[in-house]
Amino acid sequence: MKNRVVTAANRMAARWAGTCEGDEAAQAAAGVWPLLALLADGANKPGRGELAAALGVDPPDAVAAAHEILAVLGSSEAVSAALGVWARADLPLHRAWLDRIPAGTAAALEPDLAAAQQKLDAWARLHTGGLIGQMPIRLTPEDLLVLASALLVRTEWVEQFSPDRMSGNDDGPWHSRAFDSLRRTTRDLSRVKVARTAAGELTAAYVSGTHEIDVVLVLGEPDASAGEVLEHGVRLVAGEYRTVPGTAFAEDAPGPGITRSTVEAGTPGNRLRLELPAFSVSCTSDLLQTPEVFGLKAVTDAGRGHFPGVSPRPLAVSRAVQDITAAFTATGFEASAVTAFSMVAGARMPKTPHSVLETALVLDRPFGFIAVHRTSELVLVAGWVQNPGG
């Protein structure tokens, strides 16, 4: 049975994915969820209730749940995660709250803003292997407390791709464009699946990486929105939909992007061909643009304090930002995210030919991608490819 905390984190990932509006995007809910859990542990009403609803766990269990997510992330050699809490010297923190958060997480926020910013930026670089050069927030004199997470995912494909060129679909938004692409042919037809979702049919192609990481490429029907494809793609990966694998496809076209034909091959056996543009995505997400997804609506009201379990001084969330970068190449997948919350005073991720049946999936129009920890099914990173090659 899937871990209930993983289920809760994946539900947040799906809700956030549903807000994608069709621009180039990437999101790492697995980097946001533990920070929200630390906040929920010390919050009061009404923010406590909003955070609990967004997290999907009760506030008294939130910090323990954050430890569970961090343990899942730490169980794969392909993933590293870190949490950081920095408090100004004049902000007292409750010992009970500090004792519950991961050991070694808390540190002092330098009184000199420039020195403090350098320290935070160095932390971001250290924990993302240099992929993200600085913290997504710039410190201000009003900041009393900063909470941050860093997530790094690096995996190599079990079967690599070969470079190629491809053109966009004649009827799609890429119809007049050509791209550097990646192509791979395998025998395992079970790695492509089709599901019928609330947004129509959805095709998912699983690309296996080392150390228990899969990257799932999701393509919806042409009229489905980016948010619908990505949200239901996350739900598919999380096991919420019944899927039909490529080994059981009917004779007719079984799902978006899939064609079937008889071709000449050097070896016997049906096969699966996958082709897509190589891509990299980098973006910044302001979590406060969709505060209801994260339970952050009430706690941003600086007219009062919301976290009496964190500090005796009234505190409110002033900023919540995530910087993320992700790249899909011939050899593997790499993604890194840094999420940061700042808090102020609350009083205001040619042989003999054989005839074989080839099933092909060509991603020649915008599509989504989802990186998932194979064993736990925890969604690490989700994103949308709108404009490959720039």
Side-chain angles (χ1 to χ4, degrees):
M1 181 179 295
K2 189 185 303 180
N3 184 303
R4 67 179 182 86
V5 178
V6 169
T7 297
N10 284 349
R11 285 175 179 164
M12 174 179 287
R15 291 195 303 273
W16 191 8
T19 67
C20 180
E21 297 181 346
D23 296 325
E24 206 88 335
Q27 305 161 340
V32 178
W33 203 93
L35 296 181
L36 296 177
L38 297 189
L39 292 181
D41 177 69
N44 59 10
K45 295 181 179 179
R48 187 175 177 87
E50 289 185 0
L51 285 163
L55 287 166
V57 300
D58 294 330
D61 302 326
V63 172
H67 281 272
E68 287 188 51
I69 289 293
L70 292 173
V72 170
L73 295 172
S75 68
S76 171
E77 293 181 32
V79 183
S80 63
L83 291 181
V85 174
W86 296 267
R88 231 167 59 179
D90 57 347
L91 177 70
L93 298 177
H94 289 304
R95 174 51 57 186
W97 184 75
L98 286 172
D99 286 345
R100 287 194 295 276
I101 67 177
T105 298
L109 193 62
E110 301 278 352
D112 178 84
L113 276 185
Q117 189 70 61
Q118 288 178 358
K119 185 175 181 179
L120 296 187
D121 292 346
W123 184 90
R125 288 192 296 273
L126 174 65
H127 292 290
T128 63
L131 293 178
I132 294 179
Q134 61 183 32
M135 196 68 75
I137 60 172
R138 302 288 90 190
L139 293 171
T140 71
E142 289 74 31
D143 293 326
L144 299 177
L145 184 66
V146 174
L147 290 79
S149 73
L151 179 67
L152 177 62
V153 182
R154 279 179 168 151
T155 188
E156 296 180 353
W157 305 134
V158 174
E159 297 178 81
Q160 294 189 4
F161 289 77
S162 297
D164 209 331
R165 291 286 290 176
M166 67 179 289
S167 299
N169 186 297
D170 289 342
D171 299 323
W174 298 346
H175 71 278
S176 61
R177 300 182 59 187
F179 309 100
D180 289 329
S181 68
L182 303 172
R183 178 190 291 253
R184 190 179 75 177
T185 301
T186 69
R187 296 290 180 80
D188 191 358
L189 273 69
S190 67
R191 301 302 285 170
V192 63
K193 307 175 189 292
V194 173
R196 180 168 290 281
T197 75
E201 288 193 331
L202 191 70
T203 298
Y206 287 66
V207 183
S208 296
T210 54
H211 305 303
E212 298 297 316
I213 301 298
D214 281 340
V215 175
V216 187
L217 306 166
V218 289
L219 185 70
E221 296 183 357
D223 58 350
S225 71
E228 289 174 326
V229 173
L230 206 49
E231 177 178 358
H232 292 289
V234 171
R235 295 188 185 280
L236 183 156
V237 168
E240 294 187 23
Y241 287 112
R242 176 182 173 274
T243 61
V244 178
T247 51
F249 284 166
E251 288 299 321
D252 55 352
I258 296 176
T259 59
R260 306 187 85 201
S261 60
T262 300
V263 300
E264 296 292 305
T267 56
N270 295 337
R271 64 190 195 179
L272 169 66
R273 176 167 58 87
L274 176 61
E275 186 173 3
L276 70 151
F279 66 83
S280 62
V281 176
S282 295
C283 68
T284 297
S285 296
D286 182 351
L287 278 58
L288 299 187
Q289 292 296 312
T290 53
E292 66 282 353
V293 172
F294 309 102
L296 292 172
K297 189 172 182 180
V299 298
T300 56
D301 176 11
R304 50 162 292 192
H306 305 278
F307 303 98
V310 175
S311 172
R313 289 190 62 180
L315 294 170
V317 174
S318 59
R319 285 164 296 166
V321 185
Q322 182 180 90
D323 280 352
I324 185 168
T325 180
F328 190 112
T329 69
T331 58
F333 178 82
E334 183 176 72
S336 188
V338 174
T339 310
F341 293 177
S342 62
M343 301 174 73
V344 297
R348 8 160 288 161
M349 149 154 309
K351 293 182 181 181
T352 303
H354 300 268
S355 293
V356 302
L357 177 64
E358 178 182 83
T359 300
L361 171 59
V362 179
L363 304 178
D364 55 5
R365 54 186 172 83
F367 62 92
F369 64 93
I370 301 159
V372 59
H373 180 238
R374 194 179 306 135
T375 304
S376 67
E377 297 183 359
L378 175 65
V379 172
L380 305 172
V381 176
W384 186 253
V385 180
Q386 180 68 29
N387 189 34

